[in-house]
Each structure stands twice: as C-alpha cells, then as structure tokens.
Amino acid sequence: MPAKSVVNKCIWCLEAPSSTTFNSESHVLPECLGNEYQQVLPKGIVCDKCNNYFGTKLEPKLIDEPILDTIVGILELRDIDSQFTYNRSPSGIRRQVHMTTVISANKFTLTTQYEIDGQPDHLKETRIITRSKDYDKKALAWLSRAVHKIAFETVAHNEFVGTGIQYKNKTLGCLDVFHHRFNIIRDWVRYGKPQNMVRPVLRIQRFDEVERKEQFVQWGGWTHHFRHGIYCKLNLFNDWYFINLTSSPDAVESDLVSWVQKQKVHNPVWMVGNKLQRSHMHC
Ligand SMILES: [Zn+2]
C-alpha cells in the first residue's frame, strides 16, 4: 500500500490544477540515463511546467558528467559515440575496466582503460577513453541541482508509491513533502536560488564495484533521518551522492559531513560545492 494518496499538487512549484496542468508522469531517475520503468512518479505529483523544465534544462546536464557518461557507456545503456562498443563472439567476451580520476583546479579528467578480450576479429584490444569537464560555478550548480532533484523525488516516491520511510525495519511514518522545511530544496532545484552559493553534495566513487561487476546495473535512492534533518543517499551506477535535504545554507555543509562520517565509507570523497575538491573529512 502506498503511504499516501496523490493530491494533485506539484511538489516543486506547489501549484494546483487551478493554475497548472498534470498530464505527465515524472521519472525520478531521468529517462536519458536509461530509466524507462523504474521509480516513476504518477501523474499529479510533478506538474507539466516543472517536468518540462527538468527534462529540457536540468537532466541533460547529467549526461555531461564524465563519470556517469562513461559508466552508462560501459553498461551499454547509452553509448552515442560507440566508444564502448565491441564485437560479440559465440565463445564469449571478457571486458575489464579501470578508471582513474584527476582533478586540477576546476578541471576533472577521467581516464578509462577498457580492455576487451575475445572479439572475433582481434583477440585483445585495449582502448584508452578520456573524458574531461571544466567545473565552473555554473556547472557545479547544475550538477548539485540535478542530484537534489533526484533526491527529493526519491522522498516523494517513497511517500506516494512506496511504503513511507523505512529505517532499521521500522516505518518512521510519512514525511510531508509539502512541508515548508523543503522549500529550501524547491528554491534550489526549481529556481537555482540562492544564487550566491552552490548547495554542497558529497560524492563518492565506487569504481572498484564497476570494475568487478561491470555488467551489474544498479541505481537507487534511500532516505535517512539524522539528527533533525532528512538526508538522501543516491547510487547512480556506483557514482554515489550524499545529499542534505533540510539544513539551511549556513549549516548544510557541516551537517552533511557529520552524516557521511556516520556512514563509514572508505572511498575517496569529493565535495561538490562552490568548487570541486577532495573533501578533507576522514572516513
Ligand atoms: Zn510545478
């Protein structure tokens, strides 16, 4: 049983059918990343204006992410330049992936060593595929807004499609997604406000998992309560994001770091905020 019934009020702009329309479903994880059927919000939760804005302005920015773009290529979900294409063979193909990242100033470079064994025409092939991106403040803001959008819609999905928020086998009851404490997220994701700072997100790459289980498609989102805040952990194909949905701009970064330290993660942590940097936190 879903936790709540749909009320025909947009979780983003808070408008109702008297001032907007609700003719579309909303994909929590964008369709452009290969999601067709999973985690879809039914009509009546995201209005057409907001849905159209996200689909045309916000979500395409995720395709620009070197890491996501590379992983969805390896997983054969989306590989526009055919850089990860290979010739299948009846005797089977073995692929190995090794990814390394370099950040210098605002430039992020991902180098992927992609080895394919057993193609019919040549037995062993190694490709080096490099993707880089300059993260100026604008690019960081788009990325932050795009992942906050997925995070907040994950909360809405738990509420309207799932069974509410579960924590250690207990149901914590329903969150009210229309509560004013989420206005901070509505303003940031839908309108890019406040403009003077990029709402931080912690990002952790679990490339080891991609390298080991390269065929293993996995993404999902989990809502957490920590102290008095609501947090979300997102896994976008082993590119993990940790998101704070409730703290005020002056507290968001320290609250986020405190929560992530509780998660006992062992991989490098990047802070996406006003700049792109390796976080100094010790996990
Ligand atoms: Zn709306």
Side-chain angles (χ1 to χ4, degrees):
M1 276 291 287
K4 261 185 208 165
S5 53
V6 172
V7 290
N8 275 321
K9 179 174 170 179
C10 179
I11 60 168
W12 293 111
C13 65
L14 302 177
E15 287 182 27
S18 55
S19 49
T20 187
T21 52
F22 289 92
N23 294 318
S24 44
E25 298 173 326
S26 172
H27 288 72
V28 178
L29 183 82
E31 281 176 287
C32 61
L33 292 176
N35 176 37
E36 279 182 60
Y37 310 112
Q38 296 177 72
Q39 288 211 14
V40 176
L41 292 171
K43 291 176 190 175
I45 296 176
V46 179
C47 81
D48 297 332
K49 265 190 290 185
C50 292
N51 210 4
N52 182 51
Y53 175 78
F54 295 142
T56 54
K57 298 275 194 271
L58 197 61
E59 292 171 345
K61 304 295 193 291
L62 282 173
I63 303 175
D64 255 11
E65 283 301 303
I67 291 173
L68 266 178
D69 185 44
T70 299
I71 296 174
V72 297
I74 295 164
L75 295 172
E76 300 174 77
L77 294 170
R78 183 180 176 281
D79 181 20
I80 285 185
D81 310 328
S82 300
Q83 287 194 289
F84 296 95
T85 309
Y86 55 91
N87 294 322
R88 289 170 199 278
S89 131
S91 54
I93 295 287
R94 278 189 317 282
R95 295 187 298 159
Q96 281 207 331
V97 179
H98 183 68
M99 293 188 268
T100 48
T101 57
V102 176
I103 290 183
S104 100
N106 267 337
K107 194 179 170 91
F108 176 89
T109 305
L110 173 69
T111 305
T112 305
Q113 187 178 325
Y114 183 60
E115 290 176 8
I116 314 152
D117 248 331
Q119 294 180 95
D121 47 346
H122 40 305
L123 290 178
K124 182 150 183 143
E125 186 187 349
T126 301
R127 299 179 198 166
I128 304 290
I129 297 158
T130 303
R131 299 247 200 281
S132 63
K133 180 168 174 170
D134 280 311
Y135 284 91
D136 58 13
K137 207 166 162 181
K138 230 176 174 173
L140 290 163
W142 282 119
L143 173 60
S144 165
R145 291 172 65 194
V147 294
H148 277 88
K149 185 257 180 197
I150 299 173
F152 188 53
E153 289 198 355
T154 296
V155 173
H157 188 268
N158 284 334
E159 295 299 301
F160 293 111
V161 185
T163 53
I165 306 299
Q166 310 285 326
Y167 182 69
K168 291 187 177 164
N169 301 325
K170 281 188 300 194
T171 299
L172 291 178
C174 292
L175 288 173
D176 178 7
V177 290
F178 298 108
H179 193 279
H180 61 77
R181 69 172 161 174
F182 293 117
N183 287 354
I184 221 159
I185 295 304
R186 284 184 257 277
D187 286 344
W188 176 236
V189 172
R190 182 66 178 87
Y191 309 107
K193 291 179 181 165
Q195 286 180 335
N196 58 347
M197 71 166 275
V198 175
R199 191 171 175 88
V201 171
L202 282 165
R203 185 173 186 180
I204 296 171
Q205 274 93 50
R206 307 287 298 270
F207 290 152
D208 51 330
E209 292 179 358
V210 182
E211 288 164 15
R212 276 202 311 271
K213 303 181 267 188
E214 33 112 352
Q215 299 288 0
F216 188 51
V217 182
Q218 195 191 23
W219 64 273
W222 296 267
T223 312
H224 291 241
H225 281 244
F226 177 64
R227 293 183 186 148
H228 297 292
I230 307 293
Y231 294 76
C232 184
K233 189 153 81 178
L234 280 185
N235 174 11
L236 301 185
F237 310 106
N238 300 308
D239 186 17
W240 289 76
Y241 293 86
F242 293 78
I243 294 140
N244 173 325
L245 288 172
T246 44
S247 296
S248 64
D250 56 327
V252 53
E253 185 170 324
S254 59
D255 288 355
L256 188 59
V257 168
S258 308
W259 173 61
V260 173
Q261 278 172 333
K262 286 267 176 211
Q263 308 291 308
K264 300 192 174 70
V265 288
H266 301 289
N267 291 66
V269 180
W270 307 103
M271 176 72 78
V272 173
N274 288 325
K275 358 181 239 189
L276 185 68
Q277 56 184 324
R278 216 178 246 283
S279 170
H280 298 298
M281 59 184 290
H282 299 288
C283 294

Coordinates of all heavy atoms in Angstrom, one line a residue, residues 10 12-13 47 50, ligand 1:
C10 N 1.7 20.2 -7.1 CA 3.1 20.0 -7.5 C 4.1 20.1 -6.4 O 4.1 21.1 -5.6 CB 3.5 21.0 -8.7 SG 5.2 20.8 -9.3
W12 N 7.1 20.7 -6.5 CA 8.1 21.7 -6.8 C 7.6 23.1 -6.7 O 8.2 23.9 -6.0 CB 8.8 21.4 -8.2 CG 9.5 20.1 -8.2 CD1 9.2 18.9 -8.8 CD2 10.7 19.8 -7.5 NE1 10.1 18.0 -8.6 CE2 11.1 18.5 -7.7 CE3 11.5 20.6 -6.6 CZ2 12.2 17.9 -7.2 CZ3 12.7 20.0 -6.1 CH2 13.0 18.6 -6.3
C13 N 6.6 23.4 -7.5 CA 6.1 24.8 -7.5 C 4.9 25.0 -6.6 O 4.4 26.2 -6.4 CB 5.8 25.3 -8.9 SG 4.4 24.4 -9.7
C47 N 4.1 18.9 -11.8 CA 3.2 19.5 -12.9 C 4.0 19.5 -14.2 O 5.2 19.3 -14.3 CB 2.8 20.9 -12.5 SG 4.0 22.2 -12.7
C50 N 7.0 22.1 -14.5 CA 8.2 21.7 -13.8 C 8.8 20.5 -14.5 O 10.0 20.5 -14.7 CB 7.9 21.4 -12.3 SG 7.4 22.8 -11.4
Ligands
ZN1 ZN 5.2 22.5 -10.7

